[in-house]
Amino acid sequence: LKAESDAADRVPITLEVNPFAAYQCEPPSTSVVTSRAELVEYYTSMYRMRRMELGADALYKAKLIRGFCHLYDGQEAVCVGMEAAISWNDSVITSYRDHCHQLARGDTPANIISELLGKHTGCAKGKGGSMHMYMAKNNFYGGNGIVGAQQPLGAGLAFAHKYRGDGGVAFVLYGDGASNQGQLYEAMNMAALWKLPCIFVCENNQYGMGTAKARSSANTDYYTRGLYMPGIKVDGMSVLAVRQASEYAAAYARSGAGPMVIEMDTYRYHGHSMSDPGVTYRDREEVSGVRRARDPIEGLKQIILSNEIATAEELKAMETKIRKDIDAAIEVAKRAPTPPADELWRDVYQKQDMRMFIRGPDMTSSHGDLYASGA
């Protein structure tokens, strides 16, 4: 019976997605082949991300998360759809809106929340926080706190894939707010010149901080701005459309043809960060209107229900379990230890001798007495 059930879960299902806009290339097919197992996996992955981010919201408001905190709720389909199209042999690098990408690359909600809380069990030992998630063993390179800083680094990751000949592709994610960075176009130029396996992914969530895209960009068709490389625009609220576009772009880059631009048309429900109420430059009706019409989780739920892939009761049971799992992860993170005091002096340099002199706020609070390596 289990074998029959597993076989039924893998039966191909063909669904249609919204058309893609294309620049200097043919658009991907709008017919997407998937299965019951995949659709349920995408649904639970996005729901888990949503609950984790809402948990972070509550922890920030309780003043347990300090500093900057940029949430991803609303944009989950971009992360889940992209990851469904690639493997951990491919590299991913993004901005500071990075919690869900860390989860997709193999970390646990408990570890991610621990890092948000500044606990020693986090991926950066509690010293990086929200903006500096990292999972190098699975080719996730952050989590970058400087706007656009990941763009040239991503081109470097693509260069490394080409140099090593490992077949990997680098996915370089940035927002519409970082789309006018000069370093992006320098990176694009090198990627095109050297035909690097690099996919530049603009997560267009419509606002760069509190500035609407039309007020900051003379050309808001971000998928055309590679100029000398092809681009496609995707419904970034459809996990299946994102997967289809990501597969298409990855195959193009792996063929040796060079880089491509993907514009993900998406939306963030929270403000730019937790310090931004998100209603001074847009009204609540705009946000609720997107939720009603385009929410990625609700949209996939309707596909699942209308195709009789799962019942409403079955989905509710999955949601209840995820809520409990996230609640448990939060409690684990709360109980996790804070970094010991000597962690302040660790990880400053690679292969660091702990006797190395590191200056504190003043000389009396400095550390170590070794001034020259090898001394």
Side-chain angles (χ1 to χ4, degrees):
L1 291 176
K2 183 179 185 304
E4 290 178 4
S5 176
D6 290 346
D9 285 350
R10 294 192 297 271
V11 171
I13 302 170
T14 301
L15 300 171
E16 291 293 315
V17 298
N18 289 331
F20 303 90
Y23 172 75
Q24 293 189 1
C25 65
E26 291 296 319
S29 170
T30 57
S31 296
V32 180
V33 179
T34 183
S35 68
R36 179 190 184 279
E38 288 179 347
L39 292 172
V40 170
E41 179 186 352
Y42 302 157
Y43 184 80
T44 54
S45 293
M46 289 196 293
Y47 194 81
R48 185 175 296 106
M49 290 175 180
R50 179 72 58 87
R51 295 308 309 177
M52 185 179 73
E53 292 295 69
L54 293 179
D57 170 272
L59 290 167
Y60 190 94
K61 289 172 179 174
K63 298 183 179 181
L64 295 174
I65 295 175
R66 304 283 183 161
F68 293 104
C69 185
H70 305 80
L71 301 183
Y72 201 68
D73 50 320
Q75 299 180 219
E76 298 93 346
V78 174
C79 180
V80 173
M82 184 187 74
E83 288 288 355
I86 61 177
S87 76
W88 290 350
N89 183 57
D90 300 305
S91 298
V92 173
I93 189 168
T94 190
S95 66
Y96 34 74
R97 205 175 301 280
D98 58 353
H99 313 157
C100 293
H101 291 283
Q102 180 78 4
L103 183 63
R105 281 276 145 162
D107 211 343
T108 66
N111 283 351
I112 293 166
I113 296 165
S114 292
E115 186 62 38
L116 294 176
L117 295 175
K119 298 302 184 71
H120 199 220
T121 50
C123 64
K125 303 178 185 178
K127 297 186 285 186
S130 171
M131 298 196 290
H132 300 285
M133 299 291 164
Y134 198 74
M135 182 70 77
K137 69 177 183 179
N138 292 338
N139 281 319
F140 179 55
Y141 296 96
N144 292 267
I146 304 300
V147 174
Q150 72 276 19
Q151 296 160 347
L153 297 178
L157 292 170
F159 181 84
H161 283 304
K162 184 167 184 175
Y163 184 80
R164 293 169 179 162
D166 60 15
V169 173
F171 277 70
V172 186
L173 290 88
Y174 56 96
D176 52 290
S179 67
N180 298 313
Q181 289 275 319
Q183 57 191 329
L184 172 61
Y185 298 96
E186 294 180 53
M188 283 181 167
N189 180 65
M190 286 189 284
L193 191 64
W194 297 336
K195 295 191 180 300
L196 301 181
C198 190
I199 311 301
F200 294 96
V201 181
C202 178
E203 292 189 89
N204 176 11
N205 61 21
Q206 317 305 319
Y207 296 93
M209 297 188 71
T211 303
K213 61 184 181 182
R215 294 182 59 218
S216 64
S217 297
N219 176 8
T220 57
D221 290 329
Y222 299 104
Y223 69 104
T224 69
R225 290 172 65 173
L227 188 61
Y228 29 68
M229 66 182 71
I232 49 179
K233 183 177 181 179
V234 185
D235 178 2
M237 305 296 265
S238 164
V239 67
L240 293 176
V242 172
R243 192 194 78 176
Q244 188 84 333
S246 299
E247 286 178 349
Y248 178 91
Y252 177 89
R254 276 190 238 281
S255 75
M260 180 176 280
V261 179
I262 302 178
E263 177 187 344
M264 303 289 189
D265 182 10
T266 186
Y267 198 82
R268 58 169 164 80
Y269 294 150
H270 271 83
H272 172 72
S273 69
M274 284 300 296
S275 61
D276 167 22
V279 292
T280 56
Y281 49 88
R282 60 183 187 180
D283 57 40
R284 296 184 189 278
E285 181 54 36
E286 177 185 313
V287 180
S288 61
V290 174
R291 282 184 184 272
R292 289 193 300 270
R294 299 185 65 209
D295 183 78
I297 298 174
E298 184 61 29
L300 184 56
K301 176 186 278 189
Q302 293 310 311
I303 290 173
I304 290 172
L305 293 175
S306 63
N307 286 275
E308 298 182 347
I309 291 164
T311 65
E313 291 74 19
E314 288 171 332
L315 292 180
K316 186 66 176 177
M318 296 174 198
E319 293 167 4
T320 299
K321 182 180 184 306
I322 289 170
R323 284 173 179 259
K324 290 179 179 178
D325 288 346
I326 295 299
D327 289 345
I330 289 171
E331 293 307 311
V332 169
K334 285 180 178 178
R335 294 193 300 268
T338 55
D342 65 359
E343 275 291 351
L344 184 64
W345 313 109
R346 296 183 183 274
D347 305 316
V348 179
Y349 299 100
Q350 186 183 31
K351 298 180 181 178
Q352 176 186 333
D353 189 316
M354 284 305 293
R355 297 172 298 157
M356 183 182 293
F357 174 79
I358 301 173
R359 195 185 189 286
D362 55 60
M363 291 299 289
T364 61
S365 61
S366 297
H367 170 84
D369 56 8
L370 182 63
Y371 287 86
S373 61

